[in-house]
């Protein structure tokens, strides 16, 4: 999934991540321009997964 596709589908992806990881909040999943790695870091802290694992999982959604 490219960055452009991710931006276009972010609300859907965000909903799926919140379903899978109930501890994630909207603040954790705030996606803003140039802050993708920061958002991944917040999700990484809550899920215990590596950034690479999270990127693959997000791409698969």
């Amino acid at each position: 999934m490219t960055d452009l596709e991710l931006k276009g589908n972010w609300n859907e992806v965000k909903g799926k991540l919140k379903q899978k990881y109930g501890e994630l909040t909207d603040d954790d999943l705030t996606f803003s321009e140039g802050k993708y790695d920061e958002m991944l870091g917040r999700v990484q802290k809550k899920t215990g997964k590596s950034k690479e694992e999270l990127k693959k999982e997000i791409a698969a959604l």
Side-chain angles (χ1 to χ4, degrees), residues 6-18 29:
L6 182 60
K7 289 177 194 173
N9 297 325
W10 185 243
N11 284 334
E12 183 180 341
V13 170
K14 183 168 70 169
K16 288 179 181 180
L17 286 171
K18 284 173 67 176
L29 296 171

Side-chain angles (χ1 to χ4, degrees), residues 17-45:
L17 286 171
K18 284 173 67 176
Q19 284 177 351
K20 186 168 185 173
Y21 303 105
E23 67 273 7
L24 294 176
T25 66
D26 284 334
D27 287 341
D28 293 328
L29 296 171
T30 299
F31 182 84
S32 54
E33 197 70 39
K35 301 283 185 168
Y36 182 63
D37 284 333
E38 184 180 313
M39 182 271 305
L40 280 178
R42 289 190 305 265
V43 174
Q44 183 182 12
K45 283 182 185 178

